[in-house]
Amino acid sequence: MVQDTVLKNDWIVACRSTDLQDQPKQIVIMGERIVLFRNDEGVHAFKDLCIHRGAALSLGCVRDGKLVCPYHGWEYESTGACVKIPQLPEDQAIPGKARALSYGCTERYGFIWVNLGNNQPEMFPLPEFGEPGFRNVIWGPQSVHAKPPRVVENFLDVGHLAVVHEGYLGVAEHREIGDYRVHRTETSIYSDEIAVFQPDPDGSGQAKHVYYTYEILRPLSVKFTKRDRETGHLMSILLTVAPTEEGKTVAYGVLSFNYETGTTDEEIVEFQNMIFAQDKPIVENQKPEDLPLDLQMELSLKCDRVSIAYRQYLQELGVTLGTA
Ligand code: FES
Ligand code: CO
């Protein structure tokens, strides 16, 4: 798989916090098999490979806070150091080379994140998460047969709402998008509020304009906030995606609401799954599979300013995975 040093040095979503309990768990990121485990010290990620005979550590278990290899029972502590080799007579020291390769691992916003570069970069802010007055609903995983930047760009695309999601996120009579700008600060790239006419933006049955602000936080983490100017209702969705195997992406999200939706978490997730299922065939069949960074390759409109900004951002950072 393509080695992308920018993405390798960023936090990539691995799974939901709730997916990692007492048992170790295997995940694949950028073609790399990784084992995650949890103990009293927190969450940890190692290359899913025992240095003794190459067994997958994820088939083992966590005992007294150590990750135990399923094959010969070697025990690894949080740092990756092997602290017990059952076959070794007691008077013999554990070889210094007996280590698992450990990666950066952290738990934030309802997810476990890994960092293959092990440089512990700062996590992007998500003020809605844990903020009083906001309800957060975790969404995903959803697998897509497409490269990550195509999935992210679809999420940043305001023009498709009244077409692909007609009747849900837009209406056929209001497809035009007003002019807007994209702004840039040290830490984020965001759009002006963009008016979108929706048949029922908040479940009250009232069709009206709502205002979308798109934000690019990281190459694989983006957000929009939908604001109802009359009621002050805010709804935001963070989308974060993981490149797993070549040509495959797994998507997760955090949906945040500052108002009573009248729906359960399950219903919110189900609606989001339905919307995502509408996007999936589009994204899985876009050509080229790599997002073209050469803006001349496709024909953009003014309303595509967010996706143009996204492409420029990827280009500046030097993201190679899924771009061309
Ligand atoms: Fe892991 Fe032997 S392969 S202990
Ligand atoms: Co869509």
Side-chain angles (χ1 to χ4, degrees):
M1 187 154 192
V2 194
Q3 294 300 306
D4 186 305
T5 46
V6 180
L7 296 184
K8 273 181 94 168
N9 284 289
D10 207 347
W11 289 115
I12 308 280
V13 66
C15 66
R16 296 173 295 192
S17 283
T18 50
D19 295 330
L20 189 63
Q21 308 283 351
D22 302 339
Q23 288 300 310
K25 179 179 171 63
Q26 187 190 69
I27 55 147
V28 177
I29 288 185
M30 291 197 252
E32 182 77 42
R33 298 199 312 180
I34 296 163
V35 55
L36 303 175
F37 72 101
R38 184 190 286 283
N39 61 17
D40 289 347
E41 290 161 52
V43 292
H44 313 280
F46 298 162
K47 190 180 176 81
D48 193 10
L49 187 78
C50 180
I51 192 162
H52 177 220
R53 283 295 175 266
L57 294 168
S58 56
L59 296 174
C61 63
V62 182
R63 196 192 303 138
D64 300 328
K66 318 273 190 315
L67 180 61
V68 185
C69 179
Y71 202 1
H72 310 93
W74 290 22
E75 296 184 16
Y76 296 91
E77 63 170 21
S78 303
T79 60
C82 178
V83 290
K84 180 163 180 165
I85 296 182
Q87 294 77 21
L88 210 59
E90 264 187 15
D91 58 349
Q92 287 183 32
I94 292 171
K97 268 182 70 180
R99 292 189 65 88
L101 179 63
S102 85
Y103 297 122
C105 189
T106 192
E107 188 165 23
R108 288 289 287 279
Y109 311 141
F111 297 104
I112 313 283
W113 307 78
V114 298
N115 173 240
L116 300 185
N118 225 348
N119 62 349
Q120 311 286 335
E122 214 171 294
M123 181 68 75
F124 59 82
L126 187 61
E128 298 86 346
F129 197 87
E131 176 94 345
F134 276 91
R135 167 186 178 194
N136 299 284
V137 179
I138 300 291
W139 170 80
Q142 283 281 337
S143 302
V144 196
H145 278 263
K147 297 190 182 180
R150 282 286 187 197
V151 180
V152 172
E153 191 181 76
N154 165 261
F155 184 87
L156 295 174
D157 184 299
V158 68
H160 85 292
L161 295 178
V163 184
V164 174
H165 310 299
E166 188 196 334
Y168 298 100
L169 303 180
V171 298
E173 302 74 43
H174 291 271
R175 288 179 174 176
E176 71 290 345
I177 307 290
D179 203 12
Y180 68 87
R181 300 268 148 195
V182 173
H183 308 277
R184 197 158 177 170
T185 67
E186 281 281 297
T187 50
S188 124
I189 301 168
Y190 63 96
S191 75
D192 288 332
E193 286 194 323
I194 309 168
V196 178
F197 192 85
Q198 296 193 332
D200 184 15
D202 60 0
S204 65
Q206 163 88 57
K208 59 165 92 169
H209 276 103
V210 283
Y211 296 83
Y212 275 66
T213 303
Y214 289 92
E215 224 177 314
I216 300 166
L217 301 162
R218 302 293 310 154
L220 302 181
S221 298
V222 295
K223 187 172 100 175
F224 74 69
T225 304
K226 179 161 115 178
R227 187 163 76 94
D228 184 327
R229 288 184 181 171
E230 290 165 18
T231 60
H233 289 173
L234 292 174
M235 185 260 201
S236 68
I237 304 184
L238 170 83
L239 174 84
T240 186
V241 304
T244 52
E245 286 156 88
E246 180 67 38
K248 288 192 191 163
T249 300
V250 174
Y252 290 92
V254 179
L255 292 84
S256 306
F257 306 84
N258 77 342
Y259 59 97
E260 182 48 62
T261 64
T263 43
T264 64
D265 286 8
E266 290 71 27
E267 287 165 333
I268 288 167
V269 166
E270 212 174 288
F271 180 80
Q272 202 52 36
N273 287 344
M274 186 271 294
I275 294 295
F276 197 73
Q278 294 180 325
D279 286 314
K280 215 170 134 162
I282 302 285
V283 172
E284 292 186 333
N285 290 286
Q286 272 177 294
K287 295 287 177 193
E289 288 90 342
D290 288 316
L291 195 66
L293 295 185
D294 175 359
L295 296 176
Q296 303 309 318
M297 267 191 70
E298 293 180 325
L299 180 62
S300 296
L301 297 179
K302 272 187 173 173
C303 70
D304 295 320
R305 278 202 171 108
V306 180
S307 35
I308 293 167
Y310 178 58
R311 291 173 183 209
Q312 285 170 342
Y313 172 65
L314 295 184
Q315 189 158 36
E316 282 170 31
L317 285 179
V319 171
T320 55
L321 192 147
T323 65

